[in-house]
Amino acid sequence: METAARQRLGVIGAGAMGAGIAEAAAARGIPVVLTDARPGAASEAIARIRAGAAKRRDNGKLTEEQYAVLAGALSAGAGIPDLAGCDLVVEAIIEDLAAKQAVFAEVEAVVAPDALIVSNTSSLPIGVIARALARPERFAGLHFFNPVPLMKLVEVIAGPKTAAPTLAALTAFARGIGKEPVEVRDTPGFLVNHGGRAYPTEAALALQENVASAAEIDAIMRDCCGFRMGPFELMDLTGMDVNFTVCQFLHQSYFAEPRLRSTTYHRYLLETGQLGRKTGQGFHSYAEGGDRSAPDPVFDVAPATRLVLAEDLPELRDFAAALGCEARLADDGESPVIGFPLGEDASAHAARLGLPRHRLVAVDLTFGLTRRVVLMGCVGSDGRSVGAVGAAVQKSGRQVSLIAESLGFVAQRLVAAVANLGCEMAQMGLAAPRDIDRAMRIGLNYPMGPLEYADWVGPARMLRILENMQALSGDDRYRPSAWLRRRAAGDCDIWTR
C-alpha cells in the first residue's frame, strides 16, 4: 500500500455511502471490488455510477479518458471471498455493532496479513468494533461524508491498538483520492457530528422559546453570519430521522450533556413523520408555491432622526451614523435609546444600566453592521421606539428582523454555542485545534470554524456572552469551556494548545 497505483480497494455495502467511496477511488484509477449482502446490489450500484459518469462526460464535465478510467476500475464481487486480493477493505453497512463485527470476522479470514481493514461508521466506537478482531493493529475508522465524491473531509480514527503505520497509510490513501484527512479521537460522534450539534440545537431552542420564526432565524444566520444555509434549512435537508437521531445519541452518550440537548419540537417532527424535504414538511413546508422567506416588518411610525446611546460604544456610534441619526449620550426623555447587550436580553440590559425600558431598543452589532439588522425591545414596551429605529434601518437600505426578547439575540447565541462546543472539543483533544476548524468548515460548509468564530468575536467578549446567558437562564448548556476561559484571561492565541 505504498502508492495509490498499487492499491486494490474492497468496499462492503452498495448503498449511497459505499457506492460513493467506490466511485471516489475508481475516479483515481484505483481498482475497486464492490460487494453487498443483497444479490445484484453491487452490480446495480456500479451501473448507476457508470451512468452518472457517462452523463457528466456527455455534458463536458469528464473527459473520455477520465470516464474510461472510472468505469474500468469498478467491478462487482459476489461476496466477501472476492475481496481476498484487496490491500484495503472499507465496510459501509448498517450501524449495527454485531453486523459489523460479523463482517470483519469474514474479512480477516480471506485478506492478506498486511491488508488494512476499516469501518466507515459514523457513531460506533472504533475501539468497540476492534475488540472482536484478531489483528486490531491494522484496523481503524475512515469516516467519509455524503455525497462522498463531492465532500472533501475524511475523519481518520484510531482504535486503542491501531498501529501508527496503519494511520499513516490510511491518511495517504485519503489524500490519494483527493480528500482532506483529519485525525480524530475515538469518541461518540467523532468530530464533525459532535461539533455540528450546537448550530441546529441552539436554533431549535430559540424557536421553542418563540424568539423568532424558523424563516427569520434562517435569514439572520445567512445574512448576519454568512452561513450558506440557516439551521432549519439544514435540518430539513438532512432530515429529522438523521439529525434528531444523532442529537439523541450524542446527548445520551455524553451522559445528558446540556450543550448537546435538543428540543421537544425537534422530536415531535420526527415522531409525526415531518422529516423535512424528503416528506415535503419539516421546520419549513416544501409544498409547491411555499414561501420560506422571512417577511419584512411594517412600521407605522416615522424613522428616528435622533438616538440616545445607552453606552458610549463605537458600535453604537457607527450604527447611528449609518442610519443618518444624531447620536447623544445625554437622555432627552423622548428619543429611542439604543443598546448593545452581550448575552443579555433587553430587560436585563435596561435593569443593569438603569435605562428607560419603554424606549430601549437593543441592537445586535456583534458581527458588524450587516445587511440585516436584528432588533428587540423590552416586554411591556409600547413599540414606538422599536418601530422608529426599525423604520430608520429600512430607510438606510437594510432589512430588519424584529425578534421577541431573547438572551443573546439569535446570532450571538447560536455562534456562541458553536464556538463554545468547539473550544470544549479542543479541551478534550478530539483533534488539533486548527484541524477542528478545518473539519467544521469542510465537513459542514460553515463560513468559519468554531475557534475562528471565538477569535473573530474576541475570546473575552465570547466569554461574556456565555457567562451572561448562563447566569440569566440558569442553564448549564451555556457554561463556558475552560479552554475559552483561559484564553480570554490570558494574552495567547486562541489556537494555542
Side-chain angles (χ1 to χ4, degrees), residues 385-459:
S385 291
V386 171
V389 174
V393 171
Q394 289 177 335
K395 184 180 177 181
S396 74
R398 297 172 178 84
Q399 292 178 290
V400 175
S401 283
L402 178 58
I403 66 171
E405 272 205 87
S406 168
L407 300 174
F409 293 94
V410 168
Q412 258 186 39
R413 64 188 283 182
L414 266 66
V415 169
V418 169
N420 194 41
L421 189 53
C423 288
E424 189 62 18
M425 292 192 299
Q427 177 68 40
M428 295 166 63
L430 296 195
R434 291 193 183 276
D435 280 346
I436 292 173
D437 278 341
R438 184 162 63 96
M440 296 289 282
R441 288 196 311 271
I442 299 170
L444 295 175
N445 281 322
Y446 285 3
M448 293 186 184
L451 304 184
E452 290 173 315
Y453 270 121
D455 188 54
W456 182 29
V457 174

Side-chain angles (χ1 to χ4, degrees), residues 41 44 46 61 96 129 155 196 234 241 262 280 353 370 381-382 405:
E44 292 167 7
I46 289 173
K61 296 178 180 179
D96 179 271
I129 299 173
E155 294 178 323
L234 182 61
D241 51 335
S262 191
L353 297 178
T370 55
S381 169
D382 62 12
E405 272 205 87

Side-chain angles (χ1 to χ4, degrees), residues 31-56:
V32 179
V33 180
L34 180 64
T35 68
D36 194 276
R38 181 173 68 83
S43 297
E44 292 167 7
I46 289 173
R48 288 194 297 272
I49 294 170
R50 287 173 175 160
K55 186 175 181 180
R56 295 196 300 276

